[in-house]
């Protein structure tokens, strides 16, 4: 099998298989916020398990252009960088379930929402936020049963902090900036003709490069 390779931060590189091997470390954690930082489902592993080729990506792009003749990858990356990623990522770290429901397919939404429902039941408050997003790029394309999928990766600087009602920190560190690598699978609804209303998250993976657990 051929591994895609993409940068995590600076001069550090991980292959895709190494990236997903870290999944086991996070499954051992019972921290509330760690659950929302886990790899959401195994579908991304399945996506990367195949051989991603330029021709396969072109098949996906051709399929998208059947309903959006003006589609191009540069515009799509700007759409991701300035609209999709900021809105969805901020919703993930702050537990805004309404926004997540609008942007996610059912499976990733259910897994992302579960820890936040528990956090809210315990009366905890999120002070997490996103500082910066950079290096947004398309890694590959795949035709899935739900439709054409583009897999993007990017890095973000985030602060993760959960407090109780008394203001005490229960999770994370308000003074520590995490560098987090994200891999998102975005699926286009081919029945939706409006180009920017057609995209939903099919799956999502996150890995902090500085571990605070």
């Amino acid at each position: 099998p051929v591994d895609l390779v993409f940068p995590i931060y600076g001069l550090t590189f991980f292959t895709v298989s190494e990236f997903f091997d870290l999944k086991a470390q996070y499954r051992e954690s019972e921290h509330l916020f760690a659950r929302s930082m886990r790899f959401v489902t195994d579908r991304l592993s399945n996506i990367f398990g195949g051989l991603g080729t330029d021709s396969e990506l072109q098949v996906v792009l051709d399929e998208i252009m059947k309903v959006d003749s003006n589609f191009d990858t540069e515009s799509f990356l700007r759409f991701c960088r300035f609209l999709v990623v900021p809105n969805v990522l901020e919703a993930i770290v702050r537990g805004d379930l309404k926004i997540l429901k609008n942007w996610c397919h059912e499976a990733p939404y259910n897994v992302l929402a579960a820890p936040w429902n528990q956090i809210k039941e315990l009366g905890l408050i999120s002070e997490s936020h996103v500082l910066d997003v950079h290096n947004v790029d398309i890694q590959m394309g795949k035709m899935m049963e739900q439709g054409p999928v583009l897999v993007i990766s990017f890095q973000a600087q985030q602060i993760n902090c959960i407090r109780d009602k008394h203001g005490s920190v229960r999770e994370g560190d308000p003074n520590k900036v995490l560098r987090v690598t994200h891999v998102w699978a975005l699926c286009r609804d081919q029945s939706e003709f409006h180009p920017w209303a057609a995209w939903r998250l099919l799956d999502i993976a996150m890995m902090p490069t500085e571990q605070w657990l």
Side-chain angles (χ1 to χ4, degrees):
V2 176
D3 267 324
L4 295 173
V5 179
F6 56 91
I8 298 295
Y9 184 79
L11 298 178
T12 303
F13 289 82
F14 284 84
T15 65
V16 169
S17 61
E18 290 169 336
F19 183 89
F20 286 104
D21 283 344
L22 292 169
K23 175 166 49 180
Q25 298 177 20
Y26 287 87
R27 283 181 173 163
E28 296 301 319
S29 173
E30 291 305 319
H31 287 259
L32 290 174
F33 199 83
R35 294 175 197 165
S36 66
M37 294 290 286
R38 285 177 181 168
F39 299 95
V40 176
T41 73
D42 289 329
R43 190 177 295 113
L44 274 179
S45 297
N46 294 333
I47 290 174
F48 281 115
L51 176 61
T53 64
D54 290 341
S55 61
E56 191 169 26
L57 174 59
Q58 190 58 53
V59 168
V60 171
L61 298 179
D62 290 343
E63 186 68 19
I64 294 169
M65 292 182 70
K66 289 179 181 178
V67 295
D68 181 8
S69 60
N70 294 318
F71 179 86
D72 67 86
T73 55
E74 289 188 8
S75 296
F76 176 75
L77 287 174
R78 286 195 298 270
F79 166 65
C80 292
R81 169 68 179 84
F82 295 108
L83 183 62
V84 180
V85 170
N87 279 284
V88 177
L89 187 54
E90 193 71 27
I92 289 171
V93 302
R94 297 190 66 85
D96 191 327
L97 301 186
K98 182 178 180 180
I99 291 178
L100 289 179
K101 195 171 186 66
N102 288 337
W103 280 101
C104 293
H105 278 255
E106 183 178 2
Y109 170 78
N110 287 340
V111 180
L112 285 170
W116 284 112
N117 287 330
Q118 187 176 359
I119 286 171
K120 291 174 181 179
E121 287 175 5
L122 294 173
L124 303 179
I125 302 167
S126 172
E127 291 186 358
S128 305
H129 56 279
V130 180
L131 301 176
D132 183 45
V133 173
H134 52 281
N135 295 339
V136 181
D137 200 6
I138 296 173
Q139 291 297 327
M140 65 187 300
K142 281 280 188 178
M143 289 302 303
M144 307 290 287
E145 59 179 323
Q146 295 87 348
V149 172
L150 290 175
V151 178
I152 66 169
S153 66
F154 62 92
Q155 285 80 49
Q157 290 183 317
Q158 303 170 208
I159 290 178
N160 294 334
C161 178
I162 304 292
R163 296 183 185 271
D164 61 24
K165 62 182 180 181
H166 304 295
S168 300
V169 175
R170 293 286 301 275
E171 301 277 354
D173 185 340
N175 299 311
K176 184 173 184 178
V177 177
L178 293 175
R179 297 188 293 268
V180 184
T181 292
H182 295 257
V183 182
W184 292 8
L186 291 163
C187 182
R188 194 190 194 286
D189 179 357
Q190 293 294 80
S191 66
E192 172 60 64
F193 291 99
H194 191 289
W196 305 137
W199 293 93
R200 294 290 182 274
L201 275 169
L202 182 63
D203 226 326
I204 180 172
M206 295 172 274
M207 187 192 71
T209 57
E210 292 183 6
Q211 189 169 328
W212 51 266
L213 300 178

